[in-house]
């Protein structure tokens, strides 16, 4: 997971998963996202970087309509997933969120057992016909969350009793269990220590095989380590979007360069 | 001099001390406050505190102790007359105090001179007539012993008051003078005042605790007295409650406990679902504007005095229930004989408890972190799935605590029961029958002419003690659960 592995960054062939065109977001009178257009590829890790308050988390939350839960928030423009407008009135946000999973900044396991945490999504979406199938789904999800070996003997222990890094991997497993197509991660490592961060990053790299992963991060090293494409946000504008290697080695916009070299942010 | 005047003088001394202390502190640095250890007002406050606090404390203690000491000193004089029981002794002593007060009043109004009051003999003067002239009515003629005891009581108490005035004022002055003398630029008045503040706060806390202790002790003593007169096994396991002041009453608590629990259960059955659902709506679904309007409205319910709920039960709910479940009612079942019934009181008490449950549960549901909801919504759960499967389980211990607190209120509720449930102590399963509760019976045992040496009156203390133990247990259990819940998120 070290440097800029250019070979793995050959993403041109990948299909576009998410297309955003002219997205504007308002919190009351505050114009939080200004005319953002971006195309996010399938089976790729896309990183959103930028200083605090630049709108990267807000934009991420638009992708699964989590902003609907904030009453003063208003979204304009088009966001398409697989060429389907997710803000179309016919789209059920609840169904959409099953397809677009999300992992949050702070690990937020439910106050239930580890098993029930992972089984929560499959249960409410009726993904398992019986207990054996559910067991299978849970085991698969925990294995993909790279936490199975640590918890397989205590699936009935409360999820809140795990360490911070384990909790975050449990949350990733929980998100994976509903078989989403896109996985959104909002600073998933900001509450974790370096070792747990490394584990989660390794996991993100593996998840790329099956999902389109979008990750918001404050750490530019992390963006450089895990992503193939990077978008730089500043004051609600998408300043620059391109290959991660390009952005970090040869940015076009002076603001991007200033941020990456530590002069703004 | 009366205690009020003494207190006022002490306070005036303290106020003067404040000014003096402040001035002296300023003088010690030639008006340059920077050289003082503390702000000038602290030096003033120090002097005021030293003048007022010890003197006032002494005053209060003296006022409490003086009557006790006087009783002790006068009691031997009438020892020969009524050397009977303790109860009679206290009756005689209260007679003595009454006569003494009467003599005071007579002197005040100029009917008697001071010397006459002091030297009056019961065989030469009709004391009773003289005193009734000044508005003090006595039950019987005053015996010679009582009169002389009363005269001695008067003399002693006036000496005592004089002594009190002198000592208290001396203490106040001494405090003010020492504090003033100590006032100097290096004196750490700020720290001393700080210390004084702490002592004051500790005193307030101790006062509350000691009062509680006093209440509990008085309950315990009277309960023990009751159990000396009435067998405990009959009280705890007796199935009938029929007190008669003529004697031969059966005082079994079970019918009362049954009524209490029955009414509380009905009240909770009303309050818990409605209160909980209202809380869920307010905290999860309502927009901020609705919430800002609805929550205070709901809490207005909590501000209605329980006697008003009682009237509501008596005048509205009772007749309404009778018209449905009574003889010839809509339901055609004829279960209900009169408006007062367990159901009436239970329903109204439930309404009373709704804001209690909803407001506590609302706070607890709001304390569930938003990230928990986001996690569930982010997995594609609907709002009600999130509430049912994530928010409520997370808030459950706190909600249980809220319900238990509501239960202990239901058990202790009196007025609604008195007006809504009737007064018959019965062991019955029919919720449309009149029953009564522990609290209502405490009221009825103590109202009217109660003789506090009979088991029929003393049973009220045993009932109170039983109730206290039950609600205390419930409250401790509830607080324990709530606290355990809090540790989860903080």
């Amino acid at each position: 997971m070290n440097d800029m592995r250019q070979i793995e960054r050959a993403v041109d062939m990948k299909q576009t998963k998410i297309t955003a065109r002219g997205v504007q977001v308002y919190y009351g009178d505050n114009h939080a996202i200004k005319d953002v257009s971006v195309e996010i590829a399938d089976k790729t890790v896309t990183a959103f970087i930028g200083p605090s308050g630049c709108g990267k988390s807000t934009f991420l939350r638009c992708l699964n309509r989590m902003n609907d839960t904030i009453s003063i928030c208003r979204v304009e423009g088009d966001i398409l997933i697989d060429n389907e407008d997710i803000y179309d009135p016919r789209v059920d946000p609840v169904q959409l969120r099953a397809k677009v999973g999300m992992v949050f900044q702070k690990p937020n396991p439910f106050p239930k057992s580890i098993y029930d945490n992972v089984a929560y999504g499959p249960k409410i979406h009726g993904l398992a016909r019986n207990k054996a199938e559910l067991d299978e789904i849970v085991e698969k999800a925990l294995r993909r969350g790279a936490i199975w070996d640590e918890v397989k003997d205590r699936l009935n222990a409360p999820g809140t009793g795990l360490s911070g890094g384990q909790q975050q991997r449990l949350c990733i497993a929980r998100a994976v269990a509903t078989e989403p197509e896109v996985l959104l991660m909002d600073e998933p490592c900001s509450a974790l220590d370096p070792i747990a961060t490394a584990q989660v990053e390794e996991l993100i790299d593996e998840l790329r095989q099956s999902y389109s992963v979008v990750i918001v991060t404050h750490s530019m090293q992390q963006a450089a380590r895990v992503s193939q494409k990077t978008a730089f946000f500043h004051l609600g504008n998408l300043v620059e979007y391109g290959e991660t290697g390009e952005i970090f080695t040869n940015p076009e916009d002076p603001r991007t360069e200033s941020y990456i070299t530590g002069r703004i942010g | 001099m009366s205690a009020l005047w003494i207190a006022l003088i002490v306070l005036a001394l303290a106020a003067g001390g404040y000014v003096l202390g402040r001035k002296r502190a300023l003088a010690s640095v030639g008006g340059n406050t920077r050289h003082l250890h503390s702000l000038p007002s602290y030096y003033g406050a120090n002097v005021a505190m030293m003048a007022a606090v010890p003197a006032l404390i002494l005053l209060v203690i003296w006022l409490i102790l003086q009557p006790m000491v006087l009783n002790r000193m006068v009691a031997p004089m009438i020892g020969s007359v009524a050397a009977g029981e303790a109860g009679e002794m206290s009756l005689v002593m209260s007679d003595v105090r009454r006569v003494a007060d009467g003599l005071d009043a007579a002197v005040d109004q100029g009917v008697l001179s001071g010397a006459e009051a002091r030297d009056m003999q019961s065989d030469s003067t009709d004391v009773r007539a003289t005193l009734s002239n000044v508005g003090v009515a006595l039950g019987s003629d005053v015996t010679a012993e009582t009169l002389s005891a009363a005269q001695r009581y008067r003399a002693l108490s006036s000496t005592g008051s004089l002594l009190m005035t002198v000592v208290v004022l001396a203490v106040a002055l001494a405090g003010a003078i020492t504090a003033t003398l100590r006032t100097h630029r290096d004196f750490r008045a700020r720290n001393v005042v700080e210390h004084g503040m702490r002592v004051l706060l500790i005193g307030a806390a101790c006062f509350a605790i000691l009062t509680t202790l006093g209440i509990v002790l008085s309950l315990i003593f009277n309960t023990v007295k009751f159990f000396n007169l009435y067998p405990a096994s009959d009280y705890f396991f007796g199935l009938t409650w029929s007190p008669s002041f003529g004697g031969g009453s059966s005082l079994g608590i079970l019918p009362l406990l049954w009524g209490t629990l029955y009414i509380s259960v009905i009240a909770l059955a009303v309050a818990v679902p409605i209160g909980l659902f209202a809380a869920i709506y307010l905290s999860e679904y309502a927009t901020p504007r609705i919430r800002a309007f609805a929550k205070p409205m709901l809490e207005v319910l909590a501000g209605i005095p329980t006697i008003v709920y009682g009237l509501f039960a008596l005048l509205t709910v009772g007749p309404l229930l009778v018209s449905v479940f009574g003889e010839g009612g809509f339901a055609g079942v004829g279960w209900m004989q009169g408006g007062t019934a367990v159901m009436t009181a239970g329903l109204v008490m439930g309404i009373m408890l709704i804001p209690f449950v909803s407001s506590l549960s609302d706070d607890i549901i709001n304390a569930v972190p938003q990230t928990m909801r986001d996690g569930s919504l982010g997995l594609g759960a609907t709002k009600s799935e999130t509430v049912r499967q994530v928010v409520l389980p997370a808030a459950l211990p706190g909600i249980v605590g809220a319900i238990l607190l509501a239960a202990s209120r239901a058990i202790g509720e009196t007025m609604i029961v008195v007006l809504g449930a009737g007064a018959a102590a019965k062991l019955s399963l029919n919720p449309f029958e009149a029953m009564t509760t522990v609290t209502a019976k405490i009221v009825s045992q103590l109202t009217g002419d109660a003789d506090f040496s009979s088991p029929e009156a003393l049973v009220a203390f045993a009932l109170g003690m039983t109730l206290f133990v039950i609600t205390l247990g419930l409250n401790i259990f509830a607080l324990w659960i709530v606290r355990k819940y809090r540790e989860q998120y903080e």
Side-chain angles (χ1 to χ4, degrees):
Chain A
M1 309 291 309
N2 37 23
D3 50 339
M4 323 270 162
R5 284 168 292 179
Q6 292 288 343
I7 316 122
E8 283 189 35
R9 293 176 197 280
V11 287
D12 321 62
M13 326 280 292
K14 302 275 170 62
Q15 287 178 314
T16 300
K17 184 75 183 170
I18 306 171
T19 311
R21 278 194 298 250
V23 175
Q24 317 270 359
V25 180
Y26 302 88
Y27 285 118
D29 292 334
N30 181 17
H31 196 175
I33 297 280
K34 294 161 192 157
D35 197 23
V36 168
S37 299
V38 72
E39 291 198 344
I40 293 168
D42 201 8
K43 308 215 189 306
T44 306
V45 177
T46 307
F48 289 175
I49 60 168
S52 293
C54 68
K56 51 194 190 305
S57 289
T58 302
F59 185 68
L60 190 77
R61 289 169 66 96
C62 288
L63 300 181
N64 68 344
R65 292 186 61 175
M66 276 303 274
N67 283 334
D68 290 15
T69 59
I70 301 165
S71 57
I72 56 163
C73 183
R74 196 153 49 82
V75 180
E76 287 171 10
D78 297 323
I79 298 176
L80 288 78
I81 295 182
D82 292 334
N83 290 321
E84 223 180 308
D85 185 0
I86 61 168
Y87 280 88
D88 192 282
R90 279 171 303 178
V91 170
D92 177 8
V94 170
Q95 287 300 319
L96 172 74
R97 288 182 203 134
K99 208 165 95 174
V100 184
M102 188 157 192
V103 175
F104 296 84
Q105 185 169 2
K106 235 178 105 193
N108 57 349
F110 303 136
K112 298 168 180 286
S113 70
I114 293 169
Y115 182 94
D116 287 337
N117 260 286
V118 180
Y120 183 79
K123 265 189 196 160
I124 57 177
H125 295 299
L127 297 184
R129 274 189 298 264
N130 52 44
K131 180 84 169 73
E133 258 185 52
L134 190 63
D135 286 350
E136 207 175 297
I137 292 174
V138 169
E139 180 178 343
K140 205 172 121 200
L142 285 170
R143 280 190 193 282
R144 290 175 98 171
I147 193 179
W148 171 254
D149 290 332
E150 288 158 70
V151 300
K152 65 182 175 203
D153 300 325
R154 46 172 175 153
L155 290 175
N156 290 319
T160 42
L162 297 172
S163 74
Q166 288 175 324
Q167 285 188 11
Q168 193 63 300
R169 277 180 285 149
L170 176 65
C171 291
I172 293 172
R174 188 175 70 185
V176 166
T178 49
E179 299 286 340
E181 295 168 22
V182 179
L183 200 55
L184 308 177
M185 299 183 145
D186 190 356
E187 298 178 40
C189 300
S190 65
L192 304 184
D193 69 17
I195 295 170
T197 301
Q199 285 167 329
V200 171
E201 283 178 5
E202 203 169 325
L203 177 58
I204 291 170
D205 201 53
E206 280 164 29
L207 293 173
R208 180 162 64 91
Q209 312 301 324
S210 352
Y211 311 106
S212 168
V213 179
V214 185
I215 175 171
V216 164
T217 175
H218 266 135
S219 154
M220 281 168 285
Q221 290 83 351
Q222 184 173 56
R225 282 192 301 261
V226 301
S227 72
Q228 286 78 50
K229 291 204 132 192
T230 296
F232 172 62
F233 284 80
H234 188 239
L235 301 175
N237 296 303
L238 177 63
V239 174
E240 195 169 348
Y241 177 54
E243 301 272 323
T244 301
E246 282 290 302
I247 296 263
F248 281 95
T249 53
N250 191 17
E252 282 172 17
D253 197 288
R255 284 172 291 178
T256 316
E257 196 192 347
S258 306
Y259 182 68
I260 286 166
T261 54
R263 265 178 289 163
I264 56 169
Chain B
M1 205 182 302
S2 79
L4 182 68
W5 274 108
I6 301 176
L8 283 178
I9 293 173
V10 169
L11 288 179
L13 259 175
Y18 179 88
V19 178
L20 202 70
R22 202 168 178 281
K23 230 179 223 164
R24 199 177 146 83
L26 281 173
S28 73
V29 287
N32 188 349
T33 46
R34 281 206 214 170
H35 295 303
L36 280 174
H37 171 269
S38 318
L39 289 174
S41 60
Y42 279 112
Y43 292 94
N46 175 44
V47 176
M49 195 172 79
M50 293 294 281
V53 175
L56 290 181
I57 291 176
L58 185 69
L59 180 65
V60 169
I61 293 175
W62 196 298
L63 284 175
I64 293 171
L65 288 184
Q66 179 165 315
M68 295 189 198
V69 174
L70 287 187
N71 268 1
R72 275 278 169 82
M73 292 170 73
V74 176
M77 294 181 63
I78 44 169
S80 57
V81 191
E85 296 163 41
E88 249 160 76
M89 190 67 195
S90 75
L91 276 180
V92 177
M93 279 313 297
S94 75
D95 251 8
V96 169
R97 277 196 299 276
R98 249 178 113 67
V99 174
D101 289 345
L103 290 176
D104 279 342
V107 173
D108 280 349
Q109 295 179 19
V111 178
L112 295 173
S113 72
E116 274 175 326
R118 199 161 51 239
D119 307 325
M120 193 157 53
Q121 296 297 319
S122 62
D123 35 9
S124 59
T125 340
D126 185 357
V127 183
R128 191 177 171 195
T130 322
L131 292 189
S132 69
N133 277 342
V134 295
V136 178
L138 293 176
S140 59
D141 276 332
V142 180
T143 61
E145 281 89 352
T146 313
L147 183 62
S148 60
Q151 283 161 339
R152 174 136 174 77
Y153 189 93
R154 267 195 79 216
L156 282 174
S157 91
S158 74
T159 329
S161 298
L162 188 68
L163 205 62
M164 173 175 79
T165 311
V166 172
V167 171
V168 168
L169 290 183
V171 167
L173 261 179
I177 290 170
T178 15
T180 313
L181 288 180
R182 269 203 299 188
T183 300
H184 182 261
R185 55 188 288 180
D186 293 329
F187 178 62
R188 301 183 175 183
R190 197 169 167 218
N191 305 22
V192 174
V193 172
E194 189 65 36
H195 193 76
M197 270 329 275
R198 207 181 72 186
V199 172
L200 180 79
L201 299 178
I202 291 175
C206 287
F207 183 76
I209 294 169
L210 287 178
T211 319
T212 315
L213 208 67
I215 292 173
V216 173
L217 281 181
S218 92
L219 265 184
I220 290 177
F221 282 133
N222 284 300
T223 306
V224 168
K225 229 193 252 175
F226 167 71
F227 283 129
N228 285 337
L229 295 169
Y230 193 85
S233 59
D234 287 3
Y235 168 75
F236 283 115
F237 304 111
L239 293 178
T240 48
W241 172 270
S242 60
S244 68
F245 280 95
S249 39
S250 28
L251 303 169
I253 194 179
L254 285 182
L256 304 184
L257 271 186
W258 169 246
T260 306
L261 293 182
Y262 206 167
I263 291 175
S264 304
V265 164
I266 292 177
L268 289 178
V270 172
V272 169
I274 297 180
L276 197 55
F277 289 172
I280 291 172
Y281 171 72
L282 282 180
S283 58
E284 298 291 320
Y285 290 87
T287 61
R289 204 185 302 166
I290 293 179
R291 189 181 148 84
F293 166 77
K295 200 173 180 205
M297 285 304 286
L298 204 61
E299 279 163 4
V300 165
L301 268 184
I304 298 176
T306 55
I307 184 78
V308 177
Y309 281 108
L311 291 176
F312 178 59
L314 189 66
L315 298 177
T316 313
V317 177
L320 193 77
L321 285 176
V322 170
S323 73
V324 176
F325 297 102
E327 211 71 58
F330 302 136
V333 283
W335 288 335
M336 207 166 167
Q337 307 302 324
T340 52
V342 168
M343 198 47 120
T344 314
L347 287 179
V348 175
M349 203 189 280
I351 295 169
M352 177 195 83
L353 292 177
I354 288 172
F356 202 70
V357 174
S358 77
S359 142
L360 274 175
S361 307
D362 180 53
D363 291 345
I364 290 157
I365 291 173
N366 270 328
V368 174
Q370 181 62 31
T371 56
M372 213 71 98
R373 294 183 188 92
D374 283 349
S376 173
L377 293 173
L379 285 171
T382 62
K383 213 152 194 178
S384 80
E385 282 168 342
T386 303
V387 169
R388 211 169 51 237
Q389 303 199 26
V390 175
V391 177
L392 282 188
L396 192 66
I399 291 172
V400 170
I403 292 171
L404 288 177
L405 285 178
S408 78
R409 273 206 66 174
I411 290 171
E413 177 48 43
T414 315
M415 284 331 293
I416 294 176
V417 178
V418 169
L419 292 178
K426 249 181 278 181
L427 270 171
S428 161
L429 278 174
N430 182 358
F432 296 103
E433 241 181 276
M435 280 184 220
T436 194
T437 64
V438 176
T439 49
K441 278 300 152 194
I442 293 178
V443 174
S444 67
Q445 288 313 101
L446 291 186
T447 39
D449 275 337
D451 171 8
F452 277 94
S453 55
S454 71
E456 285 77 17
L458 284 172
V459 70
F461 294 100
L463 290 175
M465 192 69 205
T466 316
L467 210 56
F468 173 70
V469 170
I470 292 174
T471 47
L472 182 74
L474 267 180
N475 280 349
I476 290 176
F477 189 50
L479 287 177
W480 177 73
I481 285 182
V482 170
R483 192 169 307 155
K484 211 178 141 187
Y485 158 77
R486 280 206 184 118
E487 283 164 4
Q488 269 187 352
Y489 295 119
E490 281 166 12

